[in-house]
Amino acid sequence: MVPTRTSVVPPPRAAAPPPPTSRLRIGVADGVVVVAITGEFDRTTAEHLRAELIDIGAVCVGVLAVDLSACTRLGETGIEVLGSAIVRSASGRFKVQVWADHPDVTTALHAAGINHQAGPVRPISSPG
């Protein structure tokens, strides 16, 4: 009798969370720089955004729209990054607009004193 080999197939693993770069999209629409964040705006995503905002802030003139309409959680580091961008925008070169929908995100923004608009990005006129 020939021994049979049985193979054990491991159970499927849960999908790993997407890397922060896939939760962060940057584009330009109608002269407005739009940064869109989906899912959790956690420490890793915030640090990636902080690095991107340094470059964006150096060249942006007009409006930097931060679209959090698809964001489900806004952590403390994310609040700090947004606050820093708003402070840097006080130079007058650009204006930061924040858009959000999720109740947890809007609550965090309100608690931090960050003004925001409801819904996805619909840029308001740039500073003149």
Side-chain angles (χ1 to χ4, degrees):
M1 184 149 104
V2 177
T4 59
R5 294 179 74 179
T6 58
S7 61
V8 176
V9 177
R13 291 191 291 182
T21 53
S22 68
R23 291 190 299 236
L24 178 68
R25 292 184 327 275
I26 300 170
V28 177
D30 297 325
V32 175
V33 177
V34 178
V35 176
I37 298 168
T38 59
E40 291 189 14
F41 190 173
D42 57 10
R43 179 181 301 268
T44 305
T45 305
E47 292 304 326
H48 181 72
L49 178 60
R50 184 186 318 268
E52 293 292 337
L53 286 177
I54 290 170
D55 293 336
I56 292 169
V59 297
C60 184
V61 177
V63 176
L64 167 60
V66 180
D67 184 353
L68 302 177
S69 62
C71 183
T72 56
R73 183 171 107 37
L74 178 57
E76 186 176 315
T77 308
I79 289 286
E80 291 171 14
V81 170
L82 288 175
S84 293
I86 291 166
V87 167
R88 280 197 311 274
S89 75
S91 69
R93 287 179 35 109
F94 63 95
K95 177 180 178 168
V96 175
Q97 296 176 358
V98 179
W99 300 80
D101 269 335
H102 194 280
D104 293 343
V105 174
T106 58
T107 298
L109 290 169
H110 181 72
I114 296 176
N115 293 328
H116 63 280
Q117 305 293 320
V121 171
R122 294 178 307 277
I124 300 168
S125 62
S126 62

